[in-house]
């Protein structure tokens, strides 16, 4: 693979070719993060320029890459060459500064402080809550009955997150919590896609609803943080871990506002991504009874008891199923950044100010990289079949 990040003369590289699809078809495709972006990639190749419906001074140019090299050129840098976009800016204004939406200079110390929170030691503390949540949800599933997988998986993840993140039961508050999360995300997405946006001080109905949703989430996370401060026995492992987190370089701890903002994004991101992965995994197992039998036999071999993190090494095939689900249905199917200077992406020059989208789902379904890419085949993630695979071919979380 050519190291395009190290290219000396970026100015000598050509600009990416224009995508051949008509403008209206391109705009329609951008609304679908998997199938539509795949269509753009198929038509335009591994790096392609998209036509925007407005002049450049109003809407930045956009380049889409769907190759491992192109994605590496974007995500493999930590020098501020690519910055967060309007989506992240809108999220910051509504939900606060968190590790997902802050700009590079603020992101680096926050990431340093948060990284130790997700070590195996801390994950073990969360595992009991996750296992109990799964047992309680499936106890209501009757043999032969129809269930709504999406609803049930979201109930499961919210229950697990409620205990491990907030240290509280959310069963009776599922709808009350899910609604403001959906309201906030819809507002952020809708506002980010508009080429012309109303001033933030203008109290339009959608903004009023979004701000009310934000207040609900901030109040909930703020109350639980205060409870943990006042009651040392309150069982909220993730909150405790955030309270103890410090930047290893500066020694600076997270403020209460920082913790609250991180809890909000962990609730939103953890709820949706985990539920989507579980739902898709179970749906595929339901369509492939022979694979379902292999998973059931692997789990049954451990005995009739609650599973723990120590059992994961004995659940190799089950883990392969999850990896395959994340390949075909990645929670982060597409990401976007903005170039802060002229840069090389996949062998082409991307000019400063260009929006750069990277199509993870397209890479993970690329027939040049994966045999029978649309087939659900967990064995492709066996130890033997995974040897030599480029790390940039599989990035379900970006």
């Amino acid at each position: 693979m050519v190291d395009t990040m190290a290219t000396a003369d970026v100015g000598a590289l050509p600009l990416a070719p224009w995508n051949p699809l008509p403008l209206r078809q391109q705009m329609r495709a951008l609304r679908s993060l998997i199938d539509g972006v795949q269509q753009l990639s198929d038509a335009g190749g591994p790096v392609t320029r998209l036509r925007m419906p407005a002049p450049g001074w109003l809407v930045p140019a956009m380049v889409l890459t769907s190759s491992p090299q192109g994605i590496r050129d974007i995500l493999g840098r930590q020098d501020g060459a690519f910055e967060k976009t309007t989506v992240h800016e809108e999220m910051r204004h509504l939900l606060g500064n968190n590790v997902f939406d802050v700009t590079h200079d603020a992101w680096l110390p926050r990431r340093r402080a948060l990284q130790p929170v997700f070590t195996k030691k801390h994950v073990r503390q969360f595992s009991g809550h996750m296992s109990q949540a799964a047992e309680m949800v499936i106890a209501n599933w009757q043999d032969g009955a129809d269930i709504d997988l999406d609803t049930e998986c979201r109930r499961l993840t919210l229950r697990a997150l409620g205990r491990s993140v907030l240290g509280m039961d959310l069963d009776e508050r599922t709808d009350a919590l899910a609604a403001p999360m959906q309201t906030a995300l819809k507002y952020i997405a809708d506002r980010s896609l508009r080429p012309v946006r109303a001033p933030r001080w203008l109290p339009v109905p959608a903004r009023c609803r979004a701000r009310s949703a934000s207040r609900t989430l901030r109040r909930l996370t703020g109350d639980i943080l205060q409870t943990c401060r006042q009651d040392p026995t309150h069982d909220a492992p993730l909150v405790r871990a955030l309270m103890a987190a410090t930047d290893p370089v500066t020694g600076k701890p997270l403020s209460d506002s920082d913790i609250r903002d991180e809890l909000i994004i962990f609730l939103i991101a953890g709820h949706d991504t985990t539920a989507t992965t579980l739902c898709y995994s179970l749906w595929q197992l339901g369509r492939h009874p022979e694979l379902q039998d292999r998973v059931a036999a692997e789990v049954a071999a451990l005995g009739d008891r609650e599973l723990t993190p120590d059992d994961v090494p004995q659940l190799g095939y089950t883990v392969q199923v999850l990896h395959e689900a994340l390949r075909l249905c990645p929670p982060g199917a597409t990401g976007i950044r903005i170039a802060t200077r002229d840069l090389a992406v996949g062998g082409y020059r991307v000019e400063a100010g260009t929006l750069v989208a990277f199509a993870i789902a397209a890479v993970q379904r690329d027939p040049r990289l994966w045999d029978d890419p649309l087939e659900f085949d967990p064995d492709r993630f066996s130890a033997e079949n995974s040897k030599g695979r480029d790390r940039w071919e599989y990035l379900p979380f970006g």
Side-chain angles (χ1 to χ4, degrees):
M1 180 180 292
V2 177
D3 187 2
T4 54
M5 287 193 294
T7 300
D9 187 8
V10 174
L13 295 174
L15 294 174
W18 288 108
N19 194 285
L21 294 180
L23 173 61
R24 182 173 295 181
Q25 195 171 344
Q26 290 185 33
M27 294 301 100
R28 189 164 54 244
L30 282 174
R31 297 190 183 98
S32 173
L33 295 183
I34 293 184
D35 293 336
V37 171
Q38 182 73 59
Q39 184 182 17
L40 291 169
S41 299
D42 290 344
V47 184
T48 180
R49 274 190 295 168
L50 306 181
R51 301 181 188 278
M52 294 292 102
W57 58 267
L58 186 61
V59 178
M62 177 178 283
V63 166
L64 172 68
T65 180
S66 56
S67 72
Q69 176 177 299
I71 294 177
R72 187 205 60 163
D73 290 342
I74 300 168
L75 298 184
R77 313 184 67 122
Q78 294 189 10
D79 58 357
F82 291 96
E83 194 52 273
K84 303 294 177 65
T85 65
T86 302
V87 175
H88 304 92
E89 180 185 356
E90 293 300 332
M91 180 172 284
R92 283 197 303 275
H93 278 281
L94 186 64
L95 299 177
N97 297 321
N98 57 66
V99 73
F100 175 77
D101 63 29
V102 292
T103 54
H104 180 267
D105 289 345
W107 169 83
L108 193 58
R110 186 69 64 89
R111 183 180 185 275
R112 289 195 303 253
L114 292 178
Q115 196 163 11
V117 171
F118 297 98
T119 60
K120 289 184 179 180
K121 173 186 174 183
H122 285 116
V123 170
R124 290 183 66 87
Q125 294 178 304
F126 311 149
S127 62
H129 296 309
M130 298 175 185
S131 179
Q132 292 165 15
E135 292 289 347
M136 293 177 71
V137 169
I138 64 173
N140 295 319
W141 296 1
Q142 303 297 322
D143 287 345
D146 292 334
I147 65 168
D148 184 328
L149 266 184
D150 182 66
T151 299
E152 292 297 302
C153 289
R154 291 182 183 278
R155 179 176 292 118
L156 190 161
T157 55
L158 201 55
R159 183 194 292 264
L161 285 166
R163 294 303 309 167
S164 60
V165 174
L166 301 179
M168 63 186 298
D169 290 316
L170 294 177
D171 291 351
E172 296 181 358
R173 304 180 64 173
T174 298
D175 293 336
L177 186 57
M181 289 194 291
Q182 293 169 0
T183 297
L185 291 178
K186 184 178 186 304
Y187 170 79
I188 291 167
D190 289 347
R191 182 172 167 83
S192 300
L193 292 173
R194 292 193 183 101
V196 179
R197 293 179 286 276
R200 290 196 177 90
W201 52 262
L202 191 64
V204 298
R207 182 173 297 115
C208 292
R209 290 192 297 270
R211 287 177 174 170
S212 176
S214 175
R215 288 193 295 270
T216 297
L217 296 172
R218 289 170 180 268
R219 184 166 53 248
L220 176 65
T221 54
D223 287 349
I224 197 63
L225 176 57
Q226 194 61 31
T227 298
C228 289
R229 295 274 188 212
Q230 296 172 352
D231 180 5
T233 66
H234 187 76
D235 183 20
L238 182 54
V239 181
R240 298 285 178 196
L242 292 174
M243 290 167 60
T246 60
D247 181 346
V249 174
T250 65
K252 184 179 178 180
L254 300 178
S255 67
D256 281 6
S257 179
D258 294 337
I259 294 173
R260 180 200 62 200
D261 292 346
E262 294 300 343
L263 289 173
I264 290 174
I265 200 63
F266 289 157
L267 275 174
I268 291 176
H271 172 238
D272 185 72
T273 58
T274 308
T276 298
T277 301
L278 283 174
C279 180
Y280 189 80
S281 300
L282 292 172
W283 178 71
Q284 285 286 12
L285 289 177
R287 297 175 65 244
H288 298 87
E290 71 284 4
L291 307 184
Q292 185 176 157
D293 290 343
R294 287 181 64 177
V295 171
E298 185 174 70
V299 176
L302 298 177
D304 187 13
R305 58 176 175 78
E306 184 177 298
L307 302 182
T308 72
D310 293 332
D311 293 316
V312 172
Q314 283 73 52
L315 295 172
Y317 188 74
T318 304
V319 172
Q320 290 174 208
V321 168
L322 294 172
H323 284 164
E324 179 69 341
L326 287 167
R327 183 187 70 84
L328 281 170
C329 187
T334 306
I336 191 166
R337 296 289 187 271
I338 189 165
T340 60
R341 58 180 184 269
D342 284 11
L343 295 159
V345 173
Y348 292 95
R349 173 166 50 93
V350 170
E351 297 176 309
T354 301
L355 290 175
V356 185
F358 44 95
I360 288 173
V363 170
Q364 294 181 178
R365 296 174 172 216
D366 191 335
R368 294 167 297 183
L369 304 174
W370 308 85
D371 295 332
D372 299 318
L374 299 184
E375 179 184 351
F376 188 79
D377 178 16
D379 281 324
R380 73 174 82 241
F381 285 98
S382 67
E384 180 180 358
N385 291 333
S386 296
K387 287 180 181 178
R389 181 175 295 142
D390 190 311
R391 62 165 295 192
W392 298 100
E393 294 175 11
Y394 181 68
L395 290 166
F397 291 101

